[in-house]
Amino acid sequence: MRLAKLAYCSSLGKEVESEWNPLESDVEAFELKKTLGLELRTYENGLDPHQYASAHYRVNEGYSGWVHEKINGDVTADIRPVVRRVLVRAAAEIGKQI
């Protein structure tokens, strides 16, 4: 979480509240996505719904990568916690480069 917050604060150019927790808040997770330009997918190969949540990130010097989280459950499972986690992990990868 510390690295994700570092990436987010660096993009904003300011500190955020200590209560900031995108692992628990959909709003904060999607603000993280928007601010850092993360790409989110929740389908594996575009065929089977909700097998994986994946986030694509870009860092300086053109480097980019993906992080993935397996979604356990059936098609009616709430995937929001997995989506939030994959967004935070992608933000942490950006934070590692700062």
Side-chain angles (χ1 to χ4, degrees):
M1 182 72 90
R2 181 181 58 80
L3 290 172
K5 188 173 184 178
L6 176 64
Y8 185 64
C9 291
S10 178
S11 292
L12 291 176
K14 64 179 182 177
E15 285 293 316
V16 295
E17 299 174 17
S18 60
E19 296 175 13
W20 180 81
N21 189 352
L23 287 173
E24 297 294 326
S25 168
D26 289 345
V27 171
E28 291 171 353
F30 278 88
E31 182 63 28
L32 186 65
K33 176 187 176 295
K34 178 182 169 189
T35 301
L36 297 178
L38 304 174
E39 180 184 344
L40 175 66
R41 294 187 184 164
T42 58
Y43 294 87
E44 182 179 18
N45 297 325
L47 300 173
D48 299 317
H50 310 306
Q51 288 186 352
Y52 290 88
S54 302
H56 181 252
Y57 61 91
R58 291 178 190 81
V59 292
N60 294 337
E61 301 171 15
Y63 176 78
S64 69
W66 287 89
V67 291
H68 310 280
E69 288 279 338
K70 184 156 178 62
I71 297 172
N72 295 319
D74 59 30
V75 294
T76 63
D78 183 4
I79 66 168
R80 293 177 301 160
V82 178
V83 167
R84 291 190 303 261
R85 189 169 50 250
V86 80
L87 291 172
V88 170
R89 286 187 54 213
E93 291 298 322
I94 295 170
K96 287 179 184 178
Q97 304 301 316
I98 295 176

